[in-house]
Amino acid sequence: MDNLIVWIRTNQTRAAAIALLLGALAYTQLANKPRNLEDCLLKVSREAKTEEAATLGNTTCKMKFGE
């Protein structure tokens, strides 16, 4: 643990960049998830590249949210 503290003190810029990237990753993973069927279907319709992908995504949303 002492080695980590020493590394952070000597590499403050790198430590801050790593903390920022970890925070951004956590935010995108938590904030980007659909919270209901409507959000899920909207996300699928925006991101699907083919009709098959959209159909599969819609089915997955309906299974996940139970409707």
Side-chain angles (χ1 to χ4, degrees), residues 48-67:
K49 303 266 189 263
T50 64
E51 189 65 35
E52 292 83 16
T55 302
L56 181 61
N58 290 342
T59 303
T60 304
C61 289
K62 290 175 183 174
M63 289 173 53
K64 180 178 180 178
F65 291 103
E67 294 186 27

Side-chain angles (χ1 to χ4, degrees), residues 20-56:
L20 182 66
L21 288 173
L22 288 175
L25 178 64
Y27 174 77
T28 58
Q29 292 302 311
L30 294 174
N32 201 21
K33 291 184 178 180
R35 290 176 177 35
N36 56 38
L37 179 61
E38 184 178 321
D39 288 345
C40 187
L41 294 173
L42 286 172
K43 184 175 180 181
V44 166
S45 67
R46 276 188 247 126
E47 295 178 359
K49 303 266 189 263
T50 64
E51 189 65 35
E52 292 83 16
T55 302
L56 181 61

